[in-house]
Structure formats: structure tokens, C-alpha cells
Amino acid sequence: MSLNVVVRAAVEDDGEEVLRLLRELASLSNGQFRMDIDRFRRDGFGENRKFQCLVVDSPTCPKELIGVLVYIWFYSTWVGEVLYIEDIYVADGFRRQGIGSALFLKAIKIAEAKHCPRLQWMGRNLNAPALQFYQKIQAQDIYEERGFKVFRLTTDSMRTAAEILEGSNH
């Protein structure tokens, strides 16, 4: 089955559906999804937006979403503004129908319109279809090619790191 995929910017009323899809994504990686609808709406659709969101509507169920891409802008001192894809997800049953490709293409067009020199994201080693897609579109694997690793401090580990640094001579 081939779909006529239309990607659009999410609106505040999409919030619950976007969160449903993001919870599905988190469950695939055993992630702890802590976002609530109030914060999501404030951060994504409020006065001081923290992220942008693209969505694809279900062809059969009004108000149901089948695809989502969440992105943010950050600044690289090497190249300038970068579009970073935080999440991309297509609902089970709708994969391999061009929805992920359409979401990626829309993100590329947004980046190009702002003369953005880089689009970046992380992919899971366990997601072979996604990795094949990234190879197909000739995305660079910066871990393989340049040896970059991604690090993170969470709320608890930030406090621990601060205590370590405060107790050291730096």
C-alpha cells in the first residue's frame, strides 16, 4: 500500500497524539518517558518554543497521527546554526510507506530554507532499517568516520558531577 503523505507542522491540538507516538518510540528503547502534556504544550507551542514538530495524519482516522519528527535548532561554532532531529517515529503498520522519508525531506527543506549547513541526529545501532535508510541518503556516521561519542548528564548525574568538580582542583 502506498500513501499520499502530507507532512505538516504540528499544532497545539496535536499534543496528545504526538506524545502517544513519542511514548511508543520510548517503549521500543526501554526509555523512561517523563514528558507530560502541559509541559509539552508549553515547550512546543507556547510563547518561548523550545522545539518544532512535524506530523503526518492518519489516512483513515481523523485526529490520529501516524508519523512525527521533533527538531530543535542549535548553534555550532564550526558551521553556525544546525537543525537537530531529536525524534523521528512512524507508527507500526505504516512503516516502509514513505512516511519517514517524507518527514526527513521536510526537515531538509526547512534547513535549506534557513541556509542551515548541517542536519544532525542520532540513530540506534539496533534499528537496522533506519541505519540502512541513513546510508541510502548518504548521511555521515560521525562515530565511525570521526570517532565522536555522545555523552549525557541527567539530573542526578549533574549533581554528582558538580560535587566531583567542586571537590577537585579542576
Side-chain angles (χ1 to χ4, degrees):
M1 175 173 133
S2 180
L3 296 175
N4 180 19
V5 181
V6 177
V7 177
R8 64 174 175 83
V11 296
E12 188 171 356
D13 285 347
D14 294 321
E16 302 254 0
E17 271 296 291
V18 170
L19 280 182
R20 178 185 63 79
L21 291 174
L22 295 177
R23 281 187 192 100
E24 286 180 21
L25 173 61
S27 73
L28 294 176
S29 61
N30 298 319
Q32 293 183 352
F33 193 81
R34 297 185 179 116
M35 182 59 65
D36 64 73
I37 190 63
D38 294 330
R39 181 173 188 177
F40 188 76
R41 283 191 172 132
R42 181 183 67 243
D43 290 349
F45 306 100
E47 197 173 300
N48 186 20
R49 292 179 79 162
K50 309 266 190 279
F51 65 87
Q52 308 288 320
C53 191
L54 302 172
V55 295
V56 176
D57 293 296
S58 168
T60 56
C61 299
K63 302 280 187 189
E64 183 178 329
L65 300 177
I66 58 173
V68 61
L69 184 147
V70 177
Y71 67 96
I72 61 172
W73 296 99
F74 74 83
Y75 192 82
S76 164
T77 56
W78 292 16
V79 298
E81 196 167 34
V82 175
L83 188 153
Y84 182 81
I85 297 174
E86 174 64 21
D87 293 305
I88 180 167
Y89 180 72
V90 176
D92 194 28
F94 293 96
R95 297 182 187 135
R96 299 223 177 251
Q97 297 179 46
I99 296 165
S101 295
L103 287 163
F104 248 93
L105 180 59
K106 183 69 171 181
I108 290 168
K109 299 287 186 186
I110 290 167
E112 288 177 334
K114 288 189 75 171
H115 305 286
C116 173
R118 185 189 298 163
L119 184 106
Q120 193 164 313
W121 65 94
M122 288 191 292
R124 294 202 53 177
N125 286 338
L126 301 175
N127 191 344
L131 297 176
Q132 290 170 352
F133 172 76
Y134 304 151
Q135 287 178 332
K136 174 184 157 188
I137 64 171
Q138 298 183 10
Q140 296 174 312
D141 180 340
I142 59 174
Y143 175 75
E144 289 294 324
E145 291 182 15
R146 306 208 29 220
F148 284 97
K149 290 188 177 188
V150 177
F151 296 91
R152 156 188 321 180
L153 292 172
T154 61
T155 303
D156 292 337
S157 57
M158 279 189 283
R159 183 69 263 148
T160 301
E163 290 169 1
I164 291 168
L165 293 171
E166 288 166 345
S168 73
N169 292 331
H170 308 285

